[in-house]
Amino acid sequence: MAAIIGRKVGMTQIFAEDGARIPLTVIEAGPCPVVQVKTDERDGYQAAQLGFGASKPKHINKPEQGHLKKAGAPLMRHLHEFSLDELGAEELNEGDVVTVESFVPGSYVRVTGPSKGKGFAGTIQRHNFKRGPKSHGSHNVRGPGSIGAAAYPARVFKGIRMAGHMGARQVTQRGLQIVDRDVQRNLLLVKGAVPGAVGSIVWVRPD
C-alpha cells in the first residue's frame, strides 16, 4: 500500500448485506507524479515528493515552476513529501505516478488534513465549558469565569483555556478502512469521516 494526496469530495453511504448502513467519505486521490526523490547520500534521509492538482502558471511562483520543470512534471498546485516506508516502495524514480491502484480494499489508513475553521469561538463551544446560572442577577451566563489569581502571581498562566480561534488546524484521523476504490475516476471510498470541509486537500497514508 502507498501514500497519496487527495481532495475530499464529500460523504455518502452504502448498505451491507445485513442491512447495516456504512458511512463513506469519497476522496479524489491522485494521480500523483513523483516530483523529487531524496536520498541518504544527498539529503540525509529517504523520501519522495508527490504532486497533485493541475494549476495555471499564475498560481505558482517562479522557483516552484523551475522545480517542477526540472523534474519534467506538469504544474501542480499541491506538493507533499512522504517517506519511502509510507509509500510502500524500496525505490522510486522521478516521473513515476502513484494512483489509487496502490490501495487494497480492507486495509487501514490514516488521513491528515486541515479541520473546518470556526472563526472566533467562546469557551463553551471551543472547550466544552459549562455555562453559569441564568437567574438571580447572574452576570456570568456564558463567560469563562476566573482565569487566574489576584495579587499573586498577578498574571494569567500560559495554557489557560480561553476564547479564541477555533478549528483550521492540522488533524489526523487514524484507523479508517478502505472500503472500495474506483481506478477509472481516481476515487477512494473510506469508511467514516475524515478531517476538513468538502474540497479540502488531505494526505492518505498507511496506518
Side-chain angles (χ1 to χ4, degrees), residues 34 37 66 81 127 134 157 172 189 194 196:
V34 178
V37 177
E81 191 175 284
H127 299 297
K134 286 186 174 182
F157 288 109
T172 299
L189 301 180
V194 305

Side-chain angles (χ1 to χ4, degrees), residues 18-114:
D18 59 356
R21 184 180 66 90
I22 303 175
L24 298 177
T25 299
V26 183
I27 300 175
E28 179 190 354
C32 295
V34 178
V35 175
Q36 184 182 15
V37 177
K38 298 193 174 183
T39 61
D40 288 322
E41 296 77 16
R42 186 180 64 231
D43 305 289
Y45 64 101
Q46 293 183 331
Q49 187 183 70
L50 304 184
F52 174 74
S55 177
K56 297 179 181 179
K58 67 178 182 179
H59 294 142
I60 301 179
N61 59 33
K62 291 295 180 65
E64 194 167 304
Q65 288 186 32
H67 173 64
L68 293 168
K69 183 178 180 181
K70 180 180 178 182
L75 295 181
M76 312 295 287
R77 190 69 179 271
H78 307 283
L79 301 177
H80 191 71
E81 191 175 284
F82 299 96
S83 68
L84 293 185
D85 291 336
E86 290 175 331
L87 289 167
E90 296 182 357
E91 184 179 356
L92 282 174
N93 300 311
E94 293 182 2
D96 293 347
V97 179
V98 179
T99 66
V100 295
E101 287 188 88
S102 305
F103 293 85
V104 180
S107 58
Y108 288 85
V109 296
R110 65 183 189 271
V111 179
T112 302

